[in-house]
Amino acid sequence: MANFLDNSIRFLKGVGDSRALLLQKELGISTMRDLLWYFPFRHIDRSRYYKVGEIRDESAAYIQLQVRIEGVSVQGAGPKARLTAVARDETGVVELAWFRGIKWMAKRLEAGRRYVVFGRPGFFNGRLQMVHPEIEAVGTARERPSGMQGIYSTTEALSSARLGTRGIYDLVCNLWEVAKDHITETIPGRIMSEYNLIPLCEALENIHFPKNQELLAAARYRLKFEELFGLHLGIVSRRQGRIEKSNGFMFNRVGDRFNEFYSGHLPFELTGAQKRVIKEIRADTVTGHQMNRLLQGDVGSGKTLVALMSMLLAADNGFQSCMMAPTEILARQHYATIVNLLGEMDVRTAVLTGSTRAKERNDILEKLEAGQIDILLGTHALIEERVRFANLGFVVIDEQHRFGVEQRARLWTKNHNPPHVLVMTATPIPRTLAMTLYGDLDVSVIDELPPGRKPVKTMHLRDSQRLRIYGFLAEQIELGRQIYIVYPLIGGSEKTDYKDLQDGFEGISRQFPPPRYFTTVVHGRMKAADKEANMKLFKEGTANIMVSTTVIEVGVDVPNATVMVIESAERFGLSQLHQLRGRVGRGGGQSYCILMSGDKLSADARARLAAMVRTGDGFELSELDLKLRGAGDLAGTQQSGLALELKISNLGKDSAIVELCRTAAQKIFDGGYGFDPREIELLEELRSRHMTSTEGDFSMIS
Ligand code: ADP
Ligand code: MG
C-alpha cells in the first residue's frame, strides 16, 4: 500500500534536488520515512543557559550561552579564511569561529547585538572557543515545545550545505507538519498494552520534540522495542521455517561405536558441561527436524571431544560426518587428535586440505562417494564442488566466526536433505547478541573447563614499572619455562609497529643475552620459511623467549610456555587479549599474563585491563566488550550476514528489551495471541521493514 512516507525526501520543504542527493549520499536518507526514523543521538537541555565563567574544561557536552557580540573579523583568505566573533556575557569572553560558510554567517552577525549561542566549548591557546556554533539573535529563536532539543549527527559535507544538526532539526520540523497525519500504528494493540508501549505517532513526536523526560524515555523504549521486535519476528520466522520444512535425519541408535568409545577409549571423565551438550545434540537428532546448533565454549573447554562423539553417533546410524576448520594446521591437528583417540576402533577417518596431493585426494574423493569414509576432517577444501558424500548426515564447523555464512551454507547442500549442523566457537558471544546474530540457531554452552586447570594469573604494569618484570622472567626461565612477548599490529602504521617490535626484540636480547638465553622472533614481514623455522625453535624448546606480533596462529600450542607478556596492551580489544592469554595455561604449571601499558590510559582502556586482571571468564569479558564497544565491532557481527543497521537500539545495552522481543515473537509463532488476519498483516509489514534478508514467512501462524 503506497504511503505518504515513502515519497522522496526531495519533495520536502527545504530540501530540493541537491540536498536530497547529499542526504542520500551522506546519511542514506532518501524517503520521508528515512528522515522520520533518523533519530537524534542525544538530547540537550536548552532551557538552561550557562555563564561563560562556568565553563572550566573541555567538557564534551553541548551547552547554550547568551552573549553580546563585540566584534567580528575575517582573517586569511581563500580556503584558509576564518571568521571570528568575540562575544561576552557578564562573566567572561568567548571566541566564536567559523571556517566554512563565512560569507553567509558574516551577514548574520552584528556587533552590539545579543545572541543565543549553542555548541561545544573548547580551549584553544588558553582561550575559550566555540567552533561552528549554532547562533540566533535573541528573540528570533523558533518556539520549542520543551527545553529539550535533539542533536542529530551530521557530516562535514552536510554542514557545508547548511545541514548541520540545526539544519536537520529544521527539516524534521517541516517534515513533522506534513507527516504526522500519515503515521499508522505498526504493533497490534494487545502487544502494546502487554509491554506498555506508547503509540508510534506519539513516540516519533517525542523522540524528535520531547515534551518532557518521561515521554522521551517512553518514546525511546517504544522505538527500540519496535526495531528489535521486527528483527526478532524475522529471526523466529526463519527458525520456524527451518524446523517445519526440514526433514531431519533420525539418529535413533546409540550404537557400537559411540558406546565402545565411551567405555573403552575416553582418556578422561567428560565434564558435566560436555555431557549436557552431548545430550542436547542427541535430543536434537531424534526429532525428525534438522539440527542447527551453535556450541560456545572457551579455549580449552573440550569442544573437539563433543564433536567427535556426535560424529560417532552419526556413524552408528549409517551416516558420514565432516568437520571443517579454518586453517590447515588446525585441520591436521584435529585429524591427529581424533585418530589417536579412536585407536583401533573401526571408524574410517581421513583429512583433506588444499595441500593434499592429487593422488591421495582422488583416493579420498572416491572412497567418500562410495561410503567408505566415516569421518572427514579438513579445511575450506571440503566445500569444493568435487567433494561428494555418499550420505552426509552431520557437519561440524570449528571456529565458525572465521567462515562466511555462505561457506557454511554450502556444506548443507552436500546431501539431498540438509545434514545436522554443529557450529563451534571459542569466541564467546553474549547471550542476547547470539540470540540476534544466530537467532535461528539453538545455542549450547560449555561453561566448565576440564578439572585441574589453574587460572592464569594476570597483572597489569605500566611502562615505568618495566624493570620489575625482567627478574620475574629470568626466574621463570630458570624453572625451564618459556615466554611469549607480543606486540600489537595495527594496520596503517605498520612501520612504527615493526619498529616497536624490533626495539623490543633488541631490548630483550640485551636483557637476556646468549648463550645463556635464546630469544627468537616471528612477525608478518618474514618469509614463510623463516617464520616456520623460528616457530619451531620455540616449539621444541630451544628458544626461551618468542617475541612476535599477533601472527602466532590459532594452531600454536606450546604447553611449556607459561608467561604471556602483552606490550601496549591498551591497544588491544578485550577479545583479542583474552585469546592471547589463552595461549598459556595449557600445561600443568602456573601460568602468568602480564599486560604492559603506557602510563596515560583512557577510561575504556583502564576498564579493559582491569577486567582482564579480574576475570578469566570469556563470557564475562565478552559482555563487557559489548558494553564498551557496541555490537558493530564484535567478532562475528560483520560475517553474520545480518545487516545490523540498528537505528536506536544497542544490543549491548538493550539486552533486556531483546529478551522481551524474543519472547513476544516466539509467543506469536506458538499461536499464543491468536491474531486475526489484519494484525498478522501488520506484523508481516513490521518484520519485512526490519529484516533485509529472510526466507521466513508468516504462513504458519494459525
Ligand atoms: P577447545 O574447546 O578449545 O577446542 P579442545 O577440544 O582442544 O578444546 O580440548 C582442550 C584439551 O582439553 C585437549 O587436550 C583435550 O584432550 C582436553 N580435554 C577435553 N575434555 C576433557 C575432559 N573432560 N577432561 C580432561 N581433559 C579434557
Ligand atoms: Mg578447538
Coordinates of all heavy atoms in Angstrom, one line a residue, residues 371-403:
G371 N 31.1 -44.3 0.1 CA 30.7 -44.5 1.5 C 31.7 -45.3 2.3 O 31.3 -45.9 3.3
Q372 N 32.9 -45.2 1.9 CA 34.0 -45.9 2.7 C 34.8 -45.0 3.6 O 35.8 -45.5 4.2 CB 34.9 -46.6 1.7 CG 34.3 -47.7 0.9 CD 35.0 -48.0 -0.4 OE1 36.0 -47.5 -0.7 NE2 34.4 -48.9 -1.2
I373 N 34.3 -43.8 3.8 CA 34.9 -42.9 4.8 C 33.8 -42.5 5.8 O 32.7 -42.1 5.3 CB 35.6 -41.7 4.2 CG1 36.9 -42.2 3.5 CG2 35.9 -40.7 5.2 CD1 37.6 -41.0 2.7
D374 N 34.0 -42.6 7.1 CA 33.0 -42.2 8.0 C 33.2 -40.8 8.5 O 32.2 -40.0 8.6 CB 33.1 -43.1 9.3 CG 32.9 -44.6 8.9 OD1 31.9 -44.9 8.3 OD2 33.8 -45.4 9.3
I375 N 34.4 -40.4 8.7 CA 34.7 -39.0 9.3 C 35.7 -38.4 8.4 O 36.8 -38.9 8.2 CB 35.1 -39.1 10.7 CG1 34.0 -39.6 11.6 CG2 35.5 -37.7 11.2 CD1 34.4 -39.7 13.1
L376 N 35.4 -37.2 7.8 CA 36.3 -36.5 7.0 C 36.7 -35.1 7.7 O 35.8 -34.4 8.0 CB 35.8 -36.2 5.6 CG 36.7 -35.5 4.7 CD1 38.0 -36.3 4.4 CD2 36.0 -35.1 3.4
L377 N 37.9 -34.9 8.0 CA 38.4 -33.6 8.5 C 38.9 -32.8 7.4 O 39.3 -33.3 6.4 CB 39.5 -33.8 9.6 CG 39.2 -34.5 10.9 CD1 37.9 -33.9 11.5 CD2 39.1 -36.0 10.9
G378 N 38.9 -31.5 7.6 CA 39.5 -30.7 6.5 C 39.3 -29.2 6.7 O 38.9 -28.7 7.7
T379 N 39.8 -28.5 5.6 CA 39.6 -27.0 5.6 C 38.5 -26.7 4.6 O 37.7 -27.5 4.3 CB 41.0 -26.4 5.1 OG1 41.3 -27.0 3.9 CG2 42.1 -26.7 6.1
H380 N 38.6 -25.4 4.1 CA 37.7 -25.0 3.0 C 37.6 -26.0 1.9 O 36.7 -26.0 1.1 CB 38.2 -23.7 2.4 CG 38.2 -22.6 3.4 ND1 39.3 -22.4 4.3 CD2 37.4 -21.5 3.7 CE1 39.1 -21.4 5.1 NE2 38.0 -20.8 4.7
A381 N 38.7 -26.8 1.7 CA 38.7 -27.8 0.6 C 37.4 -28.6 0.7 O 37.0 -29.1 -0.4 CB 40.0 -28.6 0.7
L382 N 36.8 -28.8 1.8 CA 35.6 -29.6 1.9 C 34.4 -29.1 1.2 O 33.6 -29.9 0.8 CB 35.2 -29.8 3.4 CG 36.2 -30.4 4.4 CD1 35.6 -30.6 5.7 CD2 36.6 -31.8 3.8
I383 N 34.4 -27.8 1.0 CA 33.2 -27.3 0.3 C 33.2 -27.3 -1.2 O 32.3 -26.9 -1.9 CB 32.8 -25.8 0.9 CG1 33.9 -24.9 0.6 CG2 32.4 -25.9 2.3 CD1 33.6 -23.5 1.2
E384 N 34.4 -27.6 -1.7 CA 34.5 -27.7 -3.2 C 33.5 -28.6 -3.8 O 33.1 -29.6 -3.2 CB 35.9 -28.1 -3.6 CG 37.0 -27.1 -3.3 CD 38.4 -27.6 -3.6 OE1 38.5 -28.6 -4.3 OE2 39.3 -27.0 -3.0
E385 N 33.1 -28.2 -5.0 CA 32.1 -29.0 -5.8 C 32.4 -30.5 -5.8 O 31.5 -31.3 -5.6 CB 32.0 -28.4 -7.2 CG 30.8 -28.7 -8.0 CD 29.6 -28.0 -7.4 OE1 29.7 -26.7 -7.2 OE2 28.6 -28.7 -7.2
R386 N 33.7 -30.8 -6.1 CA 34.0 -32.2 -6.4 C 34.0 -33.1 -5.2 O 34.1 -34.3 -5.3 CB 35.4 -32.3 -7.0 CG 36.5 -31.7 -6.2 CD 37.8 -31.7 -6.9 NE 38.8 -30.8 -6.2 CZ 40.0 -30.6 -6.5 NH1 40.5 -31.2 -7.6 NH2 40.8 -29.8 -5.8
V387 N 33.8 -32.5 -4.0 CA 33.8 -33.3 -2.8 C 32.3 -33.8 -2.6 O 31.4 -33.0 -2.3 CB 34.2 -32.5 -1.5 CG1 34.1 -33.3 -0.3 CG2 35.6 -32.0 -1.7
R388 N 32.1 -35.0 -2.9 CA 30.7 -35.6 -2.8 C 30.7 -36.7 -1.8 O 31.5 -37.6 -1.8 CB 30.2 -36.0 -4.2 CG 29.9 -34.9 -5.1 CD 29.3 -35.4 -6.4 NE 29.8 -34.5 -7.4 CZ 30.8 -34.9 -8.3 NH1 31.3 -36.1 -8.2 NH2 31.2 -34.1 -9.2
F389 N 29.6 -36.7 -1.0 CA 29.5 -37.7 0.0 C 28.4 -38.8 -0.4 O 27.6 -38.4 -1.2 CB 29.0 -37.1 1.3 CG 30.0 -36.2 2.0 CD1 30.2 -34.9 1.6 CD2 30.8 -36.6 3.1 CE1 31.1 -34.0 2.2 CE2 31.7 -35.8 3.7 CZ 31.8 -34.5 3.2
A390 N 28.6 -40.0 0.1 CA 27.5 -40.9 -0.1 C 26.3 -40.6 0.7 O 25.1 -40.7 0.2 CB 28.0 -42.3 0.2
N391 N 26.5 -40.2 1.9 CA 25.4 -40.0 2.8 C 25.8 -39.1 4.0 O 25.9 -39.6 5.1 CB 24.9 -41.4 3.3 CG 23.5 -41.2 4.0 OD1 22.9 -40.2 3.8 ND2 23.1 -42.3 4.6
L392 N 26.0 -37.8 3.7 CA 26.5 -36.9 4.8 C 25.3 -36.6 5.7 O 24.3 -36.1 5.3 CB 27.0 -35.6 4.1 CG 27.5 -34.6 5.1 CD1 28.7 -35.1 5.8 CD2 27.8 -33.3 4.3
G393 N 25.5 -36.9 7.0 CA 24.5 -36.7 8.0 C 24.8 -35.7 9.0 O 23.9 -35.2 9.7
F394 N 26.1 -35.3 9.2 CA 26.4 -34.5 10.3 C 27.6 -33.6 9.9 O 28.6 -34.1 9.4 CB 26.8 -35.3 11.5 CG 26.8 -34.6 12.8 CD1 25.6 -34.5 13.6 CD2 27.9 -33.9 13.3 CE1 25.6 -33.8 14.8 CE2 27.9 -33.2 14.5 CZ 26.7 -33.1 15.3
V395 N 27.5 -32.3 10.1 CA 28.6 -31.4 9.8 C 29.0 -30.6 11.0 O 28.1 -30.1 11.7 CB 28.0 -30.4 8.7 CG1 29.0 -29.2 8.5 CG2 27.8 -31.1 7.4
V396 N 30.3 -30.5 11.2 CA 30.8 -29.7 12.3 C 31.7 -28.6 11.7 O 32.4 -28.8 10.8 CB 31.7 -30.5 13.3 CG1 32.2 -29.6 14.4 CG2 31.0 -31.7 13.8
I397 N 31.4 -27.4 12.2 CA 32.3 -26.3 11.7 C 33.0 -25.7 12.9 O 32.3 -25.2 13.9 CB 31.4 -25.2 11.0 CG1 30.8 -25.9 9.8 CG2 32.2 -24.0 10.6 CD1 29.7 -25.1 9.1
D398 N 34.3 -25.7 12.9 CA 35.1 -25.3 14.1 C 35.5 -23.8 13.9 O 35.7 -23.4 12.8 CB 36.3 -26.2 14.2 CG 37.0 -26.0 15.6 OD1 36.3 -25.6 16.5 OD2 38.2 -26.3 15.7
E399 N 35.5 -23.1 14.9 CA 35.8 -21.7 14.9 C 35.0 -21.0 13.8 O 35.5 -20.3 12.9 CB 37.3 -21.5 14.6 CG 38.3 -22.2 15.5 CD 38.2 -21.7 16.9 OE1 37.6 -20.6 17.1 OE2 38.6 -22.4 17.9
Q400 N 33.7 -21.1 14.0 CA 32.8 -20.7 12.9 C 32.9 -19.3 12.5 O 32.7 -18.9 11.4 CB 31.4 -21.0 13.3 CG 30.8 -20.3 14.5 CD 30.4 -18.9 14.1 OE1 30.0 -18.7 13.0 NE2 30.5 -18.0 15.0
H401 N 33.3 -18.4 13.4 CA 33.4 -16.9 13.1 C 34.4 -16.7 12.0 O 34.4 -15.6 11.4 CB 33.7 -16.1 14.3 CG 35.0 -16.4 14.9 ND1 35.1 -17.5 15.7 CD2 36.2 -15.8 14.9 CE1 36.4 -17.6 16.1 NE2 37.1 -16.6 15.6
R402 N 35.3 -17.7 11.7 CA 36.2 -17.4 10.7 C 35.7 -17.8 9.3 O 36.3 -17.6 8.3 CB 37.5 -18.3 10.9 CG 38.1 -18.1 12.3 CD 39.2 -17.0 12.1 NE 40.4 -17.5 12.7 CZ 41.5 -17.8 12.1 NH1 41.6 -17.6 10.8 NH2 42.6 -18.2 12.7
F403 N 34.5 -18.3 9.3 CA 33.9 -18.6 8.0 C 32.7 -17.7 7.7 O 32.0 -17.2 8.6 CB 33.3 -20.0 8.0 CG 34.4 -21.1 8.1 CD1 34.6 -21.7 9.3 CD2 35.1 -21.5 7.0 CE1 35.6 -22.7 9.4 CE2 36.1 -22.4 7.1 CZ 36.4 -23.0 8.3

